[in-house]
Amino acid sequence: MNTDIQTIQSIQTLKSVRPIVATTVYDSIMAELADQAGMDLLLVGDSVGTTLLGFETTVHVTLEMMLHHTLAVSRAKTKALLVSDVPYGYSHDAYGNIFEACRQLIQAGASAVKIEGGISIAPTIKSLVDSGIPVLGHIGLLPQQIKNLGKYRKFGKTDVEAKALIEDAKALEDAGCFALIGEMIGSDVAKKISQSIEIPLIGIGSGNDCDGQILVSNDLLGLSTKDVPSFVHPFGDLSENVIKSFQEYKSAVIERTYPNE
Ligand code: KIV
């Protein structure tokens, strides 16, 4: 269990100590449970759209939805560092609009925001960091680009893509990101990125040489009715438990064994 409150500095220090452990949370109860388990960093991910809200992609997630879930998670007052996702469309929007989105997420209780994108948004990120908004970068597979990509895939397979990813990582570090998420990056390239930057690279589907790992909580808990990405190892089977509990409740009501005096 974490005994200390995590800060962006303590997360950075972990790079030289042990892998950072992170997951997503979308509500107060899951945030409390994840915190009790000792997570270092909790992300209110825009994956809330696909895990909880029934959308096909994260493109449908709005700032209002992110604020609603960030407020719920922040009420858990976790020791883990709370980061909230900037939703679709903001990272390339006018600076005033992205600043306003970040301001609202921070004032809703996030300690930092996560923004998808590489070198092209580094100047925006620099301005945000300069204005007091800590930023977690996100490179590799960018789910908010799904309309351009067509499908989710691995990144860094070609030399050109690998070089571009390393450049993205360095530009985001120079812009002031305190850490990066690297999603679906070939493990050799992820290792090179981690070695090329001082800040931590937290991987998801990017192999074992990153400075930490993040998984979507519903995927790792086995609390989903959909297929999960191939890199996910389910550490639980909550869906089965939920169905079983509902079935037992149904039987008890029908058989009049619940309620009993
Ligand atoms: O929204 C999310 O859950 C994420 C993780 C996949 C890192 O961005």
Side-chain angles (χ1 to χ4, degrees), residues 24 43 45-47 85 114 138 181 183 204 214 216:
T24 63
L43 172 69
D46 61 355
S47 52
D85 245 333
K114 175 166 80 61
H138 185 152
I181 298 284
E183 182 163 359
I204 171 163
I214 183 164
V216 168

Side-chain angles (χ1 to χ4, degrees), residues 236-255:
D237 193 0
L238 293 198
S239 296
E240 276 300 309
N241 282 330
V242 170
I243 294 170
K244 194 164 160 285
S245 303
F246 281 138
Q247 284 171 336
E248 285 175 10
Y249 166 59
K250 181 179 176 184
S251 301
V253 170
I254 288 172
E255 289 159 19

Side-chain angles (χ1 to χ4, degrees), residues 19-23 136-140 154 179-187 190-191 193-194 200-216 231:
I20 295 158
V21 193
T23 189
L136 175 62
H138 185 152
I139 58 171
K154 202 98 181 167
L180 302 179
I181 298 284
E183 182 163 359
M184 296 274 283
I185 297 173
S187 50
K191 184 175 181 179
I193 295 172
S194 161
L201 175 72
I202 304 173
I204 171 163
S206 301
N208 207 3
D209 290 308
C210 300
D211 305 303
Q213 300 291 330
I214 183 164
L215 280 177
V216 168
F231 58 79

Side-chain angles (χ1 to χ4, degrees), residues 3-243:
T3 46
D4 295 322
I5 293 173
Q6 296 285 4
T7 61
I8 61 172
Q9 289 77 16
S10 64
I11 293 289
Q12 289 182 315
T13 305
L14 285 176
K15 174 157 179 149
S16 55
V17 180
R18 62 157 172 84
I20 295 158
V21 193
T23 189
T24 63
V25 286
Y26 315 107
D27 61 30
S28 199
I29 184 164
M30 207 54 98
E32 274 185 46
L33 296 177
D35 204 43
Q36 280 179 33
M39 295 293 134
D40 300 311
L41 184 152
L42 296 175
L43 172 69
V44 187
D46 61 355
S47 52
V48 66
T50 50
T51 52
L52 293 195
L53 303 179
F55 294 123
E56 287 295 319
T57 71
T58 57
V59 164
H60 306 278
V61 175
T62 63
L63 179 61
E64 287 65 34
M65 294 173 194
M66 290 308 303
L67 289 169
H68 177 77
H69 288 276
T70 301
L71 282 163
V73 168
S74 73
R75 285 181 204 115
K77 298 195 178 17
T78 59
K79 293 192 171 86
L81 188 79
L82 181 56
V83 183
S84 196
D85 245 333
V86 174
Y88 177 73
Y90 280 95
S91 48
H92 293 272
D93 201 347
Y95 180 71
N97 292 343
I98 186 167
F99 173 81
E100 180 57 17
C102 295
R103 185 186 67 74
Q104 290 190 41
L105 290 168
I106 298 282
Q107 290 187 334
S111 290
V113 297
K114 175 166 80 61
I115 303 179
E116 291 187 13
I119 199 164
S120 65
I121 59 159
T124 303
I125 289 181
K126 179 162 184 352
S127 300
L128 291 170
V129 174
D130 287 349
S131 64
I133 296 170
V135 178
L136 175 62
H138 185 152
I139 58 171
L141 171 67
L142 306 179
Q144 292 175 10
Q145 291 288 337
I146 187 62
K147 301 266 184 211
N148 282 329
L149 292 170
K151 64 179 169 68
Y152 300 119
R153 68 168 176 87
K154 202 98 181 167
F155 278 73
K157 279 188 174 168
T158 64
D159 288 350
V160 173
E161 220 170 69
K163 188 167 166 282
L165 282 168
I166 294 172
E167 282 169 9
D168 282 338
K170 286 189 172 159
L172 293 174
E173 176 177 41
D174 290 345
C177 284
F178 72 90
L180 302 179
I181 298 284
E183 182 163 359
M184 296 274 283
I185 297 173
S187 50
D188 290 353
V189 182
K191 184 175 181 179
K192 280 194 195 132
I193 295 172
S194 161
Q195 289 169 344
S196 323
I197 55 177
E198 301 283 316
I199 57 173
L201 175 72
I202 304 173
I204 171 163
S206 301
N208 207 3
D209 290 308
C210 300
D211 305 303
Q213 300 291 330
I214 183 164
L215 280 177
V216 168
S217 54
N218 287 66
D219 293 349
L220 85 89
L221 295 172
L223 183 58
S224 171
T225 51
K226 297 190 186 130
D227 290 341
V228 296
S230 56
F231 58 79
V232 171
H233 174 85
F235 291 87
D237 193 0
L238 293 198
S239 296
E240 276 300 309
N241 282 330
V242 170
I243 294 170

